[in-house]
Amino acid sequence: MNRFVAMLAMVSGAAGSAAAPPIRFEEIAEKAGLRFALRNGEAGGFHQIELTLGGVATLDYNYDGCADVYFTNGAAIPSLRKTGPQFFNRLFRNNCDLTFTDVTAEAGVAGDGYAMAVAAADWDNDGFTDLFVAGVKGNTLYRNLGNGRFADRTGAAGLAARVPKWAVSAGWFDYDNDGWLDLFVANYVEWDAAKEPRCGTPERQYYCHPDAYRGLPNQLFRNNGDGTFTDVSETSGIGAHVGKGMGVAFADMDGDGFTDVFVANDSVRGVLFRNLGNGRFEETGLEAGVALRDDGHAIAGMGADFRDLDNDGKPDLLVSGILNDSFLLFRNLGGQQGFEDYAQRTGLLMSTRQLTGWSLGMYDFDNDGWKDMFFALAHLMQLDRYLGRESALANRVYRNNGGARLEDVSGSAGPAFQAAAAHRGAAFADFDNDGRVDAVVSAVNGPAKLFHNVSGGAAHWLGVRLRGVRSNRQGLGAKVRVHLADGRDLYNHATTAVGYASSSEPVVRFGLGAQAEAESVEVHWPGGQVQRLSHVAGDQVVEIVEEGRK
């Protein structure tokens, strides 16, 4: 029995997984004032962009300790503006009492184009979280001014009029460990409303397969530390690989101290960019074993998360796909050994065969010490018309209960959780600061959902908020190890790039099970500095400030 099976097969009494209460969610968006409907502008033209929006972000934009929500939105088609009804992105402030106020107008972040994705992080190290919004006709960089307002810095930062245009996801990470967050943009396909291919017949038209479109290379922009960025896509090697990028996720997969990048591609093989540490990346998806399904087929990869699922200190990779693809789980073998396909052995492969997954996340929803899985689901809309199958689906949550298989516990997650919709983006945060991770999910042409985690039990938890000094301000890329008195080690790392087109809180979270404190907390900052704290009380978010000066 290898280490992964042994770890998953271990049912620890200290973790309390054998008797863990159900993972349950209460849907409270309407009650909380989080009233938003994602509009794709569909008007019978079967435009490809109607399928792929829209992301959502959780961020603390006003630095009050409560997670806020930002939704991207669509626009009129085909000209995308000033022809028919306009739909705008929306920012909701968390009032710190599990209610929200729409502050879009005063914040200045409505946008006026067809947005796809949002990536949130403090790129200028001023202590306030900024926004990058990716879309069909261009992208927008919003700088948080710290007074409740944002300013468009796209042009001033050198990010305006950059080709290629249609971006589906983006994320922030410090690829060169210089203390400034760099920007990765996952681009999809070439698209022009006036030249779009038509598929089917005039009487029976449908959305084209991605094969009908030419793919695009991804982009990497280096943060110069002065408010501007330099396009290093070509010199870094990122731009040499054409794909159809959707989800993007970051982790130091081989433990060399540099953050690597995985991009889920639509119907072509996924790509894994190994960071060589010298400003360049090597694409190693095939060699590492994460480019294709175990049978050699590419899936329509959409969402991705890059986290340590089995608590062995090595980040594993989770990828969602479309109907008949199944979702993929790759176990990290360590160093440069690559990954092994683990979806079949955990039961994930067969149980997701008939699903279509968009955003996702690996979080410990019941705080038992094992990261669980959340999937935002919906089939493509044309299934309703041509295959006689409902496109709306209920979301799924899988418990990692310390056993040899993941357990689908969606049926006991609450009646509202089981309501079907055309779900898309999903982001994660603890909105009421009770130590239980919640989820916010967008839905095409329907109301957004806020899943408040109301799982019972007395399991303890710990959140780690990092404040970089020599590293980037939010400590993105830092690896955190928690050691418990019962001998267990728990691992996680700081990132906001989670799922599909979405962005989650930067707090690094751990379920402690029956343990009321962490015997030690060890932070490996980007750049190599290691910082340790002893006897850290649980049931709190502790801020750890990096030692030293920049």
Side-chain angles (χ1 to χ4, degrees):
M1 180 181 291
N2 65 35
R3 176 175 169 77
F4 190 70
V5 174
M7 290 295 290
L8 286 179
M10 178 177 63
V11 179
S12 169
S17 58
I23 297 174
R24 291 185 60 85
F25 295 97
E26 176 188 22
E27 203 288 292
I28 61 167
E30 176 69 22
K31 181 172 66 175
L34 200 65
R35 301 180 182 95
F36 172 80
L38 175 63
R39 302 298 184 187
N40 67 351
E42 181 183 8
F46 292 89
H47 296 292
Q48 200 74 5
I49 61 173
E50 297 166 5
L51 299 175
T52 53
L53 77 178
V56 55
T58 56
L59 70 155
D60 184 3
Y61 86 96
N62 56 353
Y63 206 67
D64 64 354
C66 301
D68 313 297
V69 179
Y70 184 82
F71 293 102
T72 64
N73 211 346
I77 301 175
S79 66
L80 307 184
R81 62 181 66 218
K82 314 235 186 291
T83 56
Q86 294 298 295
F87 311 115
F88 298 101
N89 308 327
R90 303 273 288 280
L91 175 64
F92 290 87
R93 183 187 68 227
N94 188 340
N95 301 318
C96 295
D97 60 0
L98 215 54
T99 68
F100 294 81
T101 300
D102 188 337
V103 294
T104 309
E106 63 191 72
V109 290
D112 64 350
Y114 205 103
M116 287 280 157
V118 55
D122 182 6
W123 63 267
D124 55 357
N125 288 336
D126 66 351
F128 295 96
T129 303
D130 311 292
L131 294 169
F132 178 81
V133 179
V136 176
K137 287 292 187 180
N139 307 319
T140 305
L141 178 68
Y142 291 108
R143 178 174 179 255
N144 190 336
L145 302 179
N147 59 0
R149 293 192 57 79
F150 292 75
D152 186 339
R153 290 287 187 266
T154 314
L159 296 176
R162 296 285 180 176
V163 293
K165 293 179 179 178
W166 184 0
V168 168
S169 282
W172 297 97
F173 74 126
D174 185 1
Y175 81 93
D176 52 2
N177 289 341
D178 67 349
W180 296 95
L181 289 174
D182 309 299
L183 176 64
F184 188 98
V185 181
N187 294 304
Y188 188 47
V189 299
E190 295 181 4
W191 183 84
D192 185 329
K195 302 177 182 178
E196 187 164 19
R198 298 299 177 192
C199 295
T201 65
E203 298 79 20
R204 197 178 176 85
Q205 190 177 341
Y206 52 82
Y207 294 101
C208 296
H209 189 275
D211 287 349
Y213 300 83
R214 294 179 59 183
L216 295 172
N218 301 301
Q219 292 170 290
L220 177 62
F221 297 93
R222 182 180 182 273
N223 189 335
N224 300 318
D226 60 0
T228 68
F229 292 80
T230 298
D231 188 342
V232 294
S233 306
E234 297 305 319
T235 58
S236 66
I238 295 294
H241 302 274
V242 174
K244 297 175 181 180
M246 302 200 91
V248 59
F250 306 110
D252 179 6
M253 66 173 181
D254 50 8
D256 66 355
F258 292 94
T259 302
D260 309 296
V261 186
F262 176 81
V263 181
N265 280 316
D266 189 357
S267 302
V268 296
R269 68 181 184 88
V271 291
L272 180 64
F273 293 108
R274 179 172 173 257
N275 191 337
L276 301 179
N278 59 0
R280 292 191 56 80
F281 291 79
E282 177 186 20
E283 202 289 295
T284 62
L286 283 173
E287 297 90 333
V290 297
L292 303 165
R293 200 169 55 195
D294 201 33
D295 60 2
H297 288 279
I299 72 166
M302 290 189 279
D305 200 3
F306 214 158
R307 294 184 194 268
D308 184 358
L309 185 67
D310 56 339
N311 287 329
D312 67 351
K314 301 183 287 289
D316 310 298
L317 182 61
L318 179 67
V319 186
S320 59
I322 203 170
L323 175 68
N324 293 324
D325 277 343
S326 292
F327 303 166
L328 305 183
L329 174 61
F330 298 102
R331 182 205 168 219
N332 192 335
L333 299 175
Q336 295 186 36
Q337 298 181 79
F339 297 75
E340 62 176 331
D341 191 324
Y342 230 79
Q344 183 172 359
R345 281 193 235 186
T346 57
L348 191 67
L349 190 75
M350 291 303 297
S351 67
T352 58
R353 177 77 71 185
Q354 297 302 307
L355 304 179
T356 297
W358 297 85
S359 200
L360 55 83
M362 287 192 279
Y363 290 86
D364 188 353
F365 295 108
D366 54 6
N367 286 327
D368 67 349
W370 299 94
K371 296 181 190 69
D372 311 298
M373 298 178 180
F374 182 106
F375 296 99
L377 304 180
H379 290 311
L380 296 181
M381 291 177 290
Q382 63 191 27
L383 288 189
D384 289 348
R385 298 178 176 92
Y386 302 123
L387 298 183
R389 181 184 295 218
E390 291 291 331
S391 60
L393 292 175
N395 297 317
R396 292 283 182 97
V397 60
Y398 287 77
R399 167 180 273 149
N400 179 357
N401 60 13
R405 294 176 65 86
L406 297 166
E407 179 188 4
D408 183 351
V409 295
S410 310
S412 59
F417 185 81
Q418 298 167 42
H423 302 109
R424 287 296 189 270
F428 304 88
D430 179 6
F431 289 109
D432 56 350
N433 293 321
D434 67 350
R436 292 173 290 192
V437 177
D438 312 301
V440 58
V441 183
S442 63
V444 177
N445 297 324
K449 298 179 180 181
L450 176 57
F451 292 110
H452 179 218
N453 189 340
V454 293
S455 303
H460 299 283
W461 58 276
L462 179 67
V464 177
R465 180 179 289 114
L466 299 172
R467 181 174 175 181
V469 176
R470 288 185 286 184
S471 304
N472 66 85
R473 179 68 177 252
Q474 292 177 311
L476 300 190
K479 294 174 280 188
V480 183
R481 179 176 71 92
V482 168
H483 180 71
L484 301 179
D486 61 13
R488 287 181 297 148
D489 288 312
L490 311 176
Y491 298 87
N492 208 343
H493 67 277
T495 183
T496 60
V498 179
Y500 173 84
S502 298
S503 185
S504 291
E505 64 170 8
V507 178
V508 188
R509 295 192 176 272
F510 300 88
L512 305 183
Q515 303 299 305
E517 73 167 20
E519 193 169 86
S520 67
V521 176
E522 184 176 279
V523 181
H524 291 249
W525 294 93
Q529 182 179 218
V530 179
Q531 193 170 340
R532 296 179 180 86
L533 285 74
S534 298
H535 301 290
V536 179
D539 303 326
Q540 65 164 330
V541 175
V542 60
E543 183 174 78
I544 300 178
V545 180
E546 186 179 16
E547 296 174 340
R549 296 183 177 181
K550 193 172 181 70

